[in-house]
Amino acid sequence: MWIHLSEVLSAEGKEKTYTCEIGFNAFQTGNGSYPVTEKSPVSLKIVNLGEKRLLLSGRCSLTLSIPCDRCLEEVPQKFDIPFEREIDMNQTEEERIEDLDEQPYIVGFQLDVDRFVETELFLHMPMKVLCSDDCKGICDRCGANLNRETCGCSQEPKDPRMAAILDIFHSAADQ
Ligand SMILES: [Zn+2]
Ligand SMILES: [Zn+2]
């Protein structure tokens, strides 16, 4: 959804509130695309601070499905992000991008709400997602999900140096 900012910009102290549906169904990052499994409308307030500066505040909540770092099972990850950002409309688009190092969510006198939410999400993405703290992961030899099954190879040492020694031992035994 796009919001026209010209009305709020027309007078200092002017403010408007909006409720906006989130328009995207998947969140793209450099690491992958995560489906949005639940979302609530974004509540957004825009206040004219004077001198062509705007204050954007509000809250967005949504749930993304993100694979567990260890076993790759999809994990629902809930985000509830309060935000407050000042926007200087005196800046050109290029200056703003350089300043914030982010995708432009202001184009001309319009605010791209989806882009804005994506920008907030980027800042709140967890470094690591686990289905549970004691997730056993997948076997690095046969790919079995060790939370659900035990495979034969899980008995062997995990230490790669030990594994290499064992491999030599096995191939020597084969000859
Ligand atoms: Zn897991
Ligand atoms: Zn295995």
Side-chain angles (χ1 to χ4, degrees):
M1 179 174 156
W2 290 85
I3 291 177
H4 293 263
L5 300 170
S6 33
E7 197 192 328
V8 184
L9 279 168
S10 64
E12 186 174 336
K14 204 168 174 96
E15 63 176 65
K16 280 200 86 168
T17 52
Y18 302 85
T19 306
C20 315
E21 296 292 337
I22 292 172
F24 54 90
N25 294 313
F27 177 59
Q28 316 274 349
T29 74
N31 295 324
S33 172
Y34 309 111
V36 179
T37 51
E38 265 180 68
K39 55 188 173 186
S40 318
V42 184
S43 57
L44 183 65
K45 183 165 119 179
I46 306 177
V47 181
N48 186 334
L49 301 172
E51 293 165 345
K52 292 178 88 178
R53 285 175 308 116
L54 298 175
L55 184 68
L56 246 69
S57 60
R59 185 170 214 107
C60 55
S61 349
L62 56 89
T63 304
L64 297 177
S65 185
I66 303 177
C68 168
D69 246 45
R70 289 188 200 148
C71 72
L72 306 178
E73 284 283 301
E74 297 281 323
V75 185
Q77 189 76 22
K78 200 169 166 34
F79 295 85
D80 188 24
I81 308 170
F83 54 83
E84 192 172 272
R85 300 220 165 250
E86 205 177 303
I87 295 167
D88 187 350
M89 295 298 287
N90 297 296
Q91 283 185 316
T92 64
E93 231 162 88
E94 289 74 22
E95 285 172 333
R96 206 174 291 128
I97 293 165
E98 260 174 44
D99 263 22
L100 303 173
D101 188 28
E102 62 197 19
Q103 296 291 312
Y105 49 78
I106 304 273
V107 179
F109 287 98
Q110 295 192 78
L111 167 69
D112 183 340
V113 179
D114 285 342
R115 214 8 106 60
F116 179 74
V117 170
E118 285 177 335
T119 305
E120 293 296 322
L121 268 177
F122 268 117
L123 299 172
H124 289 84
M125 280 299 276
M127 296 294 289
K128 185 179 232 180
V129 171
L130 292 177
C131 61
S132 77
D133 285 339
D134 55 0
C135 171
K136 298 190 188 77
I138 54 176
C139 171
D140 52 11
R141 295 185 170 210
C142 72
N145 183 332
L146 301 175
N147 298 313
R148 281 182 296 198
E149 51 189 311
T150 28
C151 60
C153 24
S154 64
Q155 307 300 326
E156 293 186 28
K158 280 232 150 153
D159 186 328
R161 285 163 302 175
M162 269 309 285
I165 291 165
L166 277 178
D167 281 346
I168 294 164
F169 185 73
H170 284 319
S171 56
D174 286 345
Q175 282 166 7

